[in-house]
Amino acid sequence: MRSEEDLVRTLRAAADQAKPLPGGLSEAVAARRRGHKKGQWARMALAAAAVVVLVGGTAFALSSGGGQAGPATQITTTSTPNPIEHVTEAWPEAIAKVPRMASNGWKYRPVATVSPTEILLAADKSFEKAGRVAVYDMTTKTTRELGAMPERKRGYFVQEWAANDKNVVWYGETPNNKDVWADIWVMPRAGGEARQLKELTGDLARIEVLNVTADHVVWSVREGGVYRIPLTGGEPEKIQGTDDLHLNAWPWAYAFGPGPEGKRNQTRLVNLETGNSIDISVDRGDEGVVCNEHKCIGTRDDRMFSQGPEGDSRKLLPKGMVMHTPELRLQDDVLSVVGGGSNGQQAYDLRSDRLVSFGKEGLGYWILPGLLAWDDDAEGFQKCANNSCTTEEKGGGKELTVVNLKAIRR
């Protein structure tokens, strides 16, 4: 997990684009930090127009790095519309109003998107202590519970969720313990009993991304390597030829070039179903290039750009735009950004080159792969003490506004 200092260093660039945060930036971040590690439900404070964000599993590169240099590429520039349209107006088909409270008084929180019309929910009996799994249907505007999650050891937190039309899977850790340990679970998408597939220790337990296929749970580890285990149970196995690969979103994985984390460039995309690969085009001077099968983002001369993986359609993004934190992977085509033309929360759609605002001024918000969320009924206010200020919230609590990024029509 990245340190508070890493987050603070990255956000200083964003803070220059907005009003200064009263008091120390690092104190404000530390005071409002939520979540346990990558993939967790993270919630951050916004103080006036200044943005302070920690992204759960969705973060992006900002600084210099290595990789293979290619020939110079012609670059066009993307302009910023003014004013920026709010996401609820830009993509109304992707907006859901999800209830915050379950019938037993537990709190729902969105944890993943299942499909363009379905959002996976965890029902928490206390802060991020998931006790049940549910699905919200955007078409019928109803919530259906799938089943209970077994009680786990003290200090256990689910780190990441994934789902398809047949199964819901997750893995958990005890992040505050020194042991290197994780376990993987599966529950039928139609509802039923949760089954533990495996307890992992050592390098296999250093999970960075988890997905589900028709037959397997698949994951990659921080040192490199993609593993799988059958949904019916059994022993984990490494997928052949993946020693240097990291899972993005199944079936795609990527390899890194040389350089420190947050500065190196991705160099290759591999489809683990077909074996096809794409050599990523990187120009000399490009930094922090990360890709999915559609698009790449990177930085050159302190300016963000996007391009196709093979270097086509290269464009400079709006001047001053930065991502929130250094990125290892590009799972979504919609990115959370600041400084793209106005204050506040913004999202940039790489596929349509569209910048929109989201959330509500002065409130915290959530970002996870596949979704954005906030409480429209809450109100934000500043609380200052000891030469630092944090943004607190009052009211709300009845429902969340959720943007299902899978539902966007382009």
Side-chain angles (χ1 to χ4, degrees), residues 28-85:
V29 174
R32 286 286 289 166
R33 185 176 182 183
R34 295 292 185 269
H36 303 282
K37 61 173 290 197
K38 182 271 312 160
Q40 276 298 96
W41 183 251
R43 184 177 184 181
M44 292 293 108
L46 303 178
V51 181
V52 180
V53 174
L54 173 65
V55 178
T58 308
F60 302 91
L62 294 173
S63 55
S64 61
Q68 297 298 316
T73 304
Q74 183 177 0
I75 302 177
T76 59
T77 301
T78 298
S79 60
T80 303
N82 190 19
I84 298 173
E85 196 172 18

Side-chain angles (χ1 to χ4, degrees), residues 57-66 78 248 256 262-267 269 280-283 285-300 303-318 321-337 347-353:
T58 308
F60 302 91
L62 294 173
S63 55
S64 61
T78 298
N248 192 32
F256 274 120
K263 297 183 178 182
R264 56 193 174 175
N265 296 319
Q266 290 181 5
T267 58
L269 290 170
I280 297 170
S281 175
V282 179
D283 283 357
D286 291 350
E287 303 166 343
V289 175
V290 293
C291 304
N292 58 30
E293 66 273 27
H294 306 295
K295 286 284 188 177
C296 302
I297 58 167
T299 303
R300 184 174 184 176
R303 183 80 178 265
M304 295 292 301
F305 67 84
S306 68
Q307 65 174 45
E310 296 179 281
D312 56 293
S313 304
R314 187 162 172 129
K315 295 180 180 180
L316 289 176
L317 302 188
M321 179 185 290
V322 294
M323 302 303 168
H324 288 127
T325 54
E327 173 58 76
L328 295 179
R329 64 194 59 85
L330 183 60
Q331 290 179 294
D332 291 322
D333 293 312
V334 178
L335 319 175
S336 60
V337 300
Y348 189 80
D349 182 12
L350 287 165
R351 296 182 72 178
S352 65
D353 293 314

Side-chain angles (χ1 to χ4, degrees), residues 349-369:
D349 182 12
L350 287 165
R351 296 182 72 178
S352 65
D353 293 314
R354 190 174 190 179
L355 184 68
V356 300
S357 63
F358 71 93
K360 184 177 178 181
E361 188 72 21
L363 291 184
Y365 58 94
W366 293 264
I367 305 172
L368 289 170

Side-chain angles (χ1 to χ4, degrees), residues 109-114 118-122 133-135 146 161-163 168:
R109 59 183 166 101
V111 293
T113 49
V114 182
E118 296 173 305
I119 299 167
L120 187 67
L121 307 176
V133 183
V135 169
L146 304 185
W161 305 76
V168 175

